[in-house]
Amino acid sequence: MELEETHSSSHYGKPPWVFRGSALYQLHLVKAETARAFIPKEFQLVEAFGYTLGGFFLASYDDSPTGTFDELVVIAGIVWNPPTSCAWAARVLVNSGEACRHGRKDVGLPSQVARFSKTIRAIPKTSKTKRTGFLDLVGPWTPHSSKNCMDVQVSEMKGQTPVNICSINFSAAELDSSKWKGPHIKMSLPSFSGRTQYNPHLLKYSCQIECRLQAVPPAKVSGPQEAVDLEEEKYCDCESSVCNFKSGEIRRNKRSLCISVMLSQPILALRFNCLKMKVEAPTMVSKHSQNPLR
């Protein structure tokens, strides 16, 4: 496939853009029909038995081209891009106006300004916790070794009004700097983006990550208590190339589908400690590519 380099915004400086902080990367089993609402029709969704691999990336940046900010990337699923695969972000929530503008214009992300409210609260301490599943194989962890847990409330800003998206709850044990932080690793997270009202091009970009990687218990995600207005923001308000639905399907809004992704079944959670993420300038996928996406 042919790729063409895009131009970056002067407000964020020249690429690569470097971000430092910590993050939680949680993988979920997401219904394929939910993920397809966000995936351009050019792509083939990687799925099995009606599910794809999505989830979220919750990051807190201590240093970035625009200073400190928080970010929640809702990952709809994985699309096939021979010989590998790439993630597709359904929504990106940030509490920085500059980061939102950069994501929309320069990286082609569906970025929205949001409010992040963090609360640490006490939880009862238990003497024993039964280990289960994959985490037994990757290393020791004690989910109740801390008496505290953290709640992160994420609300999307609609004008001056916050609209509750989700609450993410996890043990504060891994936040203790005295705890083991895991091995140092380097990895690349390739992703596709674009096809938004702010950047209509189909883009591909890569995040080069250095961090100390630690398997942790999956965070508990809860949705908003208030009902989401299904008539407020329908599927049909996005690009026609993105929306390809059969007649008679229920037209729920994209915000409610993002909440569905967040509430889907978690299968693995990874803590990125001492994170350094380098984001290269995205490249534009040519319409005249000799390698089809399907």
Side-chain angles (χ1 to χ4, degrees):
M1 132 186 355
E2 297 178 9
L3 299 174
E4 303 172 11
E5 189 169 340
T6 60
H7 298 288
S8 64
S9 169
S10 59
H11 298 289
Y12 233 66
K14 295 182 179 180
W17 304 291
V18 178
F19 304 79
R20 290 180 172 86
S22 60
L24 176 68
Y25 188 27
Q26 187 156 304
L27 301 178
H28 289 196
L29 288 177
V30 178
K31 289 183 179 180
E33 61 181 355
T34 300
R36 286 197 194 98
F38 303 100
I39 306 299
K41 64 181 181 181
E42 293 95 329
F43 289 115
Q44 179 182 1
L45 185 68
V46 178
E47 61 177 295
F49 307 105
Y51 289 88
T52 186
L53 197 60
F56 66 88
F57 182 82
L58 175 66
S60 179
Y61 300 116
D62 303 320
D63 182 51
S64 78
T66 191
T68 61
F69 72 95
D70 298 308
E71 177 181 54
L72 174 63
V73 181
V74 182
I75 303 169
I78 304 296
V79 296
W80 181 239
N81 177 39
T84 183
S85 56
C86 293
W88 186 275
R91 214 172 194 86
V92 178
L93 301 165
V94 292
N95 56 357
S96 164
E98 185 62 34
C100 180
R101 287 187 290 272
H102 167 73
R104 288 176 174 179
K105 180 179 178 182
D106 296 335
V107 194
L109 293 172
S111 298
Q112 300 289 336
V113 175
R115 177 183 297 173
F116 288 72
S117 302
K118 302 177 184 179
T119 305
I120 296 179
R121 59 183 176 87
I123 55 175
K125 185 175 182 180
T126 58
S127 57
K128 290 185 178 181
T129 301
K130 182 179 178 181
R131 291 185 178 186
T132 58
F134 179 78
L135 292 175
D136 284 339
L137 304 177
V138 297
W141 56 276
T142 53
H144 291 286
S145 60
S146 172
K147 294 182 180 180
N148 296 324
C149 67
M150 176 175 284
D151 290 311
V152 180
Q153 181 76 41
V154 184
S155 301
E156 182 178 322
M157 300 304 297
K158 184 178 179 182
Q160 298 298 318
T161 304
V163 179
N164 188 16
I165 298 296
C166 66
S167 178
I168 304 171
N169 171 262
F170 54 90
S171 170
E174 63 266 22
L175 302 179
D176 188 348
S177 60
S178 65
K179 299 291 183 179
W180 181 69
K181 293 298 183 182
H184 183 269
I185 64 137
K186 294 182 179 181
M187 62 187 296
S188 176
L189 295 178
S191 301
F192 280 111
S193 62
R195 292 296 171 82
T196 69
Q197 64 184 37
Y198 306 101
N199 195 324
H201 303 292
L202 186 60
L203 307 174
K204 183 179 180 180
Y205 69 99
S206 179
C207 299
Q208 305 299 324
I209 289 179
E210 294 183 36
C211 68
R212 299 190 70 88
L213 185 65
Q214 180 185 21
V216 296
K220 180 180 179 181
V221 182
S222 57
Q225 294 181 354
E226 66 272 15
V228 179
D229 185 358
L230 299 182
E231 298 299 325
E232 178 185 38
E233 183 183 1
K234 299 195 178 219
Y235 281 137
C236 57
D237 68 352
C238 57
E239 296 285 332
S240 59
S241 59
V242 177
C243 296
N244 183 24
F245 304 105
K246 296 179 181 179
S247 175
E249 282 190 323
I250 298 175
R251 295 185 171 183
R252 291 177 289 179
N253 65 71
K254 292 180 290 183
R255 186 186 295 116
S256 67
L257 284 180
C258 286
I259 295 172
S260 296
V261 172
M262 294 295 297
L263 298 180
S264 57
Q265 179 63 41
I267 58 174
L268 176 65
L270 299 172
R271 173 80 179 177
F272 291 178
N273 299 298
C274 308
L275 171 67
K276 178 183 178 182
M277 182 172 67
K278 183 186 296 184
V279 181
E280 301 290 345
T283 50
M284 187 164 56
V285 180
S286 172
K287 295 181 180 179
H288 305 290
S289 168
Q290 296 180 353
N291 296 322
L293 299 176
R294 285 187 174 270

